[in-house]
Amino acid sequence: MASSPLLATSLPQNQLSTTATARFRLPPPEKLAVLIDKSQSVDEVLQIHAAILRHNLLLHPRYPVLNLKLHRAYASHGKIRHSLALFHQTIDPDLFLFTAAINTASINDLKDQAFLLYVQLLSSEINPNEFTFSSLLKSCSTKSGKLIHTHVLKFGLGIDPYVATGLVDVYAKGGDVVSAQKVFDRMPERSLVSSTAMITCYAKQGNVEAARALFDSMCERDIVSWNVMIDGYAQHGFPNDALMLFQKLLAEGKPKPDEITVVAALSACSQIGALETGRWIHVFVKSSRIRLNVKVCTGLIDMYSKCGSLEEAVLVFNDTPRKDIVAWNAMIAGYAMHGYSQDALRLFNEMQGITGLQPTDITFIGTLQACAHAGLVNEGIRIFESMGQEYGIKPKIEHYGCLVSLLGRAGQLKRAYETIKNMNMDADSVLWSSVLGSCKLHGDFVLGKEIAEYLIGLNIKNSGIYVLLSNIYASVGDYEGVAKVRNLMKEKGIVKEPGISTIEIENKVHEFRAGDREHSKSKEIYTMLRKISERIKSHGYVPNTNTVLQDLEETEKEQSLQVHSERLAIAYGLISTKPGSPLKIFKNLRVCSDCHTVTKLISKITGRKIVMRDRNRFHHFTDGSCSCGDFW
């Protein structure tokens, strides 16, 4: 056997030749333990291990530390099989080796082996210590964690900081806030790790107030705790708070943001359409030590797509290293939401042909949405059927939603209705809302009314169902029906989701609601609205007052339409930016047909490109036309 470089450093050179193996003198065990710790590769560990075996040191009762050191060395070099095999070949392993083996199994997701090792430890009449439990808890679900918790209490380790932190983490991951809180409250000293685990628990449950209170009370915070809090805000509908906290992190200077931080911040930008902030984060990543890896690039693709800059999303996608399925999915979804359906389908085929990646259920949501936005009925049905037939993927409610939307928008209402009835799962309110919206779009008020009243009879709480039924009644002038629906909503405590439109000007997001007069430039905004109204009427605009739900005079209906939130945002954009510059508007609900018509006319009159994202998709308004082809 060739001599190890590590061993060679402690031996005279003339003893290292292959002809002098018989005269090889092994360093003392203490020196071997140090050499194992310093090993740079698995080959070095194997050579040291072989030398130890030749001298039977692993069987020597005085040197159990060598087994432990070799076990950890193999594990650190990713040789898990070698590591655990060494444990199983050890006669009467001690507590330290048991604990090391349990930890190795746990961190490598070998949960069953971790529990078997723990049972073997108990059978050996060895009492576990705090490190044993903290290692084992890494393999626990909430259910198994509760069982191990009883053992923790039995051995008197319930308030040990390592064990308690592990228990909080187990309960937090399982969403058991009550149990996590009880363990956390009993801890005599709360570590950074345990506090972060508790913040994670609160954040996962959407209790961002409790999470922030604990976060602010921490004397020390690392980047993990910052990431958990920023992501908690982003994931639970508080994007502005997420971005403000991200800015506070940057202002404090330490700790430094990492890949996870910027992905969470980019997600927040995506939700409110903060394109300029997203661009700034992109520049920040390039100028810092944060790697532009596939996860960061995917976050950028998603942000640019959802903030209305598909061109920049494509540029990032083309430069993304080692694209995984998530990156491809993000780009396919980006093309779909902007109405570039053929590009989305092209990418779907390229992904499989060039990379060999297999589509996931998320991939099919993007491709089916692409078909729905373009009215590609036959192609959409073919792709939907291929999920099970070619890829073995069982359609979920989201896939049925895309199919129903596709059929409904194409006017095949009965087929959409039959699809829902023949599903092997219960339809949710989103699916029914899609059908109702299609009934209103195509004027099938009989079917729409039948479906809506059936759903209300089921006591569905989705405000969208009631609003669509109101729209259906209003479309045929049945204002008694509108009033009836409103009274029903009041009785059931159902509140209509308010329409909110936002526009980003000079890195600040401005928010508007219908009839809003809270903005500091409200006077100028309403002056611009009046000017717009006069100009579009001179271009043949006739208000579509059928979209107004109230039983009002025609003039009052027109005035109601003029102050919709998207029009206020557009007016503010017109008075706040240079002539000819594009505007990007984001609305949380579907843009109404009248505002869609008005925005087309504004783009023609002002010579501006207006990009609007509503609940369904992006609309690119240019010179009096929209990229959706009035199909949305």
Side-chain angles (χ1 to χ4, degrees), residues 487-500:
N487 291 331
L488 203 56
M489 291 177 72
K490 285 181 182 178
E491 288 173 13
K492 297 186 176 184
I494 298 170
V495 180
K496 177 181 179 289
E497 183 181 1
I500 300 172

Side-chain angles (χ1 to χ4, degrees), residues 258-534:
D258 60 12
E259 291 92 341
I260 297 171
T261 323
V262 296
V263 169
L266 288 169
S267 173
C269 292
S270 301
Q271 294 174 46
I272 56 175
L275 178 60
E276 293 306 318
T277 304
R279 282 175 175 157
W280 185 91
I281 293 172
H282 192 177
V283 173
F284 170 76
V285 170
K286 288 180 177 179
S287 62
S288 67
R289 294 183 178 180
I290 298 172
R291 292 183 302 122
L292 268 170
N293 58 21
V294 67
K295 288 187 178 179
V296 174
C297 287
T298 301
L300 286 166
I301 293 166
D302 184 67
M303 181 276 295
Y304 280 127
S305 296
K306 290 178 179 175
C307 289
S309 184
L310 185 65
E311 300 84 358
E312 288 174 280
V314 173
L315 289 174
V316 174
F317 177 76
N318 290 338
D319 290 338
T320 300
R322 294 181 293 279
K323 300 179 187 72
D324 60 11
I325 188 64
V326 183
W328 286 90
N329 288 348
M331 195 65 252
I332 289 170
Y335 276 130
M337 72 175 73
H338 282 269
Y340 289 81
S341 300
Q342 293 300 335
D343 288 295
L345 296 176
R346 170 184 57 78
L347 212 61
F348 175 71
N349 293 324
E350 277 183 16
M351 179 191 76
Q352 299 171 78
I354 295 174
T355 68
L357 288 171
Q358 288 296 297
T360 64
D361 59 326
I362 304 298
T363 318
F364 282 104
I365 291 174
T367 52
L368 288 169
Q369 283 177 340
C371 294
H373 290 324
L376 304 174
V377 176
N378 293 334
E379 182 70 7
I381 292 172
R382 185 193 67 78
I383 289 172
F384 182 85
E385 291 175 346
S386 74
M387 288 180 64
Q389 294 172 2
E390 297 179 31
Y391 301 97
I393 297 174
K394 187 178 180 181
K396 296 180 179 178
I397 192 76
E398 295 85 356
H399 302 104
Y400 279 106
C402 293
L403 181 61
V404 167
S405 175
L406 168 64
L407 295 170
R409 290 181 192 181
Q412 299 186 25
L413 300 174
K414 289 185 178 179
R415 193 171 180 182
Y417 190 27
E418 288 298 318
T419 299
I420 292 178
K421 290 200 294 185
N422 294 330
M423 282 167 46
N424 55 2
M425 62 188 78
D426 292 333
D428 60 11
S429 57
V430 177
L431 209 57
W432 284 116
S433 294
S434 176
V435 181
L436 282 174
S438 296
C439 288
K440 178 178 177 293
L441 178 66
H442 293 286
D444 193 337
F445 302 121
V446 175
L447 179 60
K449 184 179 175 184
E450 178 188 332
I451 293 172
E453 291 180 346
Y454 162 72
L455 294 174
I456 290 172
L458 294 177
N459 204 29
I460 286 180
K461 299 291 185 181
N462 187 320
S463 64
I465 300 291
Y466 293 83
V467 172
L468 282 167
L469 181 57
S470 290
N471 281 327
I472 289 170
Y473 281 131
S475 297
V476 294
D478 184 357
Y479 291 103
E480 286 187 10
V482 173
K484 175 185 170 185
V485 174
R486 279 189 176 167
N487 291 331
L488 203 56
M489 291 177 72
K490 285 181 182 178
E491 288 173 13
K492 297 186 176 184
I494 298 170
V495 180
K496 177 181 179 289
E497 183 181 1
I500 300 172
S501 295
T502 61
I503 182 171
E504 184 183 23
I505 304 291
E506 295 180 352
N507 293 327
K508 183 178 179 182
V509 177
H510 299 261
E511 185 178 284
F512 298 91
R513 300 184 182 218
D516 199 338
R517 290 185 178 270
E518 298 296 318
H519 198 277
S520 59
K521 294 287 183 78
S522 181
K523 184 177 179 181
E524 294 91 332
I525 290 169
Y526 276 84
T527 299
M528 176 56 74
L529 278 177
R530 286 191 291 272
K531 290 180 181 179
I532 290 172
S533 180
E534 291 170 4

Side-chain angles (χ1 to χ4, degrees), residues 177-187:
V177 183
V178 174
S179 297
Q181 186 74 64
K182 284 181 179 178
V183 176
F184 186 71
D185 288 343
R186 290 170 184 165
M187 293 179 69

Side-chain angles (χ1 to χ4, degrees), residues 514-515 525-526 529-530 532-534 536-537 541 543 548 555-568 571 594-595 598:
I525 290 169
Y526 276 84
L529 278 177
R530 286 191 291 272
I532 290 172
S533 180
E534 291 170 4
I536 59 177
K537 283 183 178 179
Y541 164 66
V548 179
T555 304
E556 293 175 304
K557 288 183 179 181
E558 289 183 27
Q559 292 173 347
S560 173
L561 290 170
Q562 286 174 13
V563 294
H564 276 192
S565 63
E566 53 266 64
R567 297 198 203 182
L568 293 171
D594 190 71
C595 286
V598 167

